Amino acid sequence: MIETTIKGIDLKFYTSQKIFSPKKIDNGTLAMLSMADFEHGDKVLDLGCGYGVVGILAAKLIGDKNVVMSDISEEAIELSKKNAALNGVDVKLCLSDGFKSIIDKDFTHILTNPPYHVDFKVPKLFIEKGFNRLKIGGKMYMVTKRKEWYKNKMISIFGGVKIWEINGYYVFMSEKRDSSYAKHR
């Protein structure tokens, strides 16, 4: 079990050797969370939730009814369900390959720490499909150890990107704007 405090919130997580970063909260995820601000009224998607760090933190900060957590792994969904209960939140959990089983299209925040050590297929889909799941003004946050491909892809889809380098990770944030919406309908 991992016990930690993020953004002033005490959290506990059961983990598994089969799920990403089982011994401690991944530094990339912590870097991304340090740049994301959650406000009352936000609707958050934790895309590729693993054992639930991002979504459960968001639920504690903005209320659990506005948080959706998804993963392709059944074990990750089960762990997230267990960890949500452990941390006193009741979030919507969705077993999904990317966005395939997610019907919501009005997120204000999509946060993801995608698999990026193999190829760009998964992050490419996350960025392209994520754009259409954000409301105007919504933000996509992504963290990786690589910069150029992600920077270029985020700019090509959203029209711009902010990038922070934190402890060897790159945190990307792009906002869906009216002008970017017209070219991607």
Side-chain angles (χ1 to χ4, degrees), residues 35-168:
M35 301 314 300
D37 290 320
F38 301 103
E39 297 177 12
H40 187 71
D42 281 339
K43 184 171 180 183
V44 174
L45 171 61
D46 179 358
L47 181 61
C49 65
Y51 49 83
V53 175
V54 172
I56 291 169
L57 174 66
K60 297 289 276 184
L61 292 168
I62 65 167
D64 49 14
K65 300 303 177 221
N66 288 336
V67 177
V68 177
M69 297 167 57
S70 74
D71 205 289
I72 194 170
S73 161
E74 287 183 30
E75 185 171 356
I77 293 297
E78 285 304 311
L79 271 172
S80 288
K81 184 178 192 178
K82 192 174 182 181
N83 287 329
L86 178 66
N87 287 283
V89 294
D90 182 21
V91 297
K92 180 179 176 187
L93 292 159
C94 183
L95 181 65
S96 183
D97 180 358
F99 287 95
K100 288 181 182 173
S101 300
I102 299 171
I103 56 171
D104 306 68
K105 295 187 178 184
D106 59 344
F107 292 105
T108 60
H109 290 62
I110 297 174
L111 294 98
T112 187
N113 184 349
Y116 53 85
H117 293 298
V118 198
D119 61 28
F120 297 108
K121 185 173 84 172
V122 172
K124 178 180 183 290
L125 284 172
F126 281 12
I127 294 166
E128 291 172 354
K129 302 293 183 193
F131 178 88
N132 295 317
R133 300 310 177 95
L134 288 166
K135 64 191 286 184
I136 299 296
K139 298 174 182 176
M140 174 172 259
Y141 291 85
M142 183 173 281
V143 62
T144 73
K145 282 204 168 241
R146 298 178 182 177
K147 183 179 179 184
E148 290 306 313
W149 184 90
Y150 292 90
K151 177 181 101 175
N152 294 335
K153 187 64 178 175
M154 298 285 276
I155 290 170
S156 76
I157 299 299
F158 286 88
V161 65
K162 288 185 180 177
I163 305 167
W164 299 273
E165 185 176 357
I166 303 170
N167 298 325

Side-chain angles (χ1 to χ4, degrees), residues 14-25:
Y14 293 108
T15 66
S16 161
Q17 292 300 319
K18 296 178 185 174
I19 305 299
F20 176 68
S21 198
K23 294 186 187 328
K24 66 181 185 95
I25 308 296

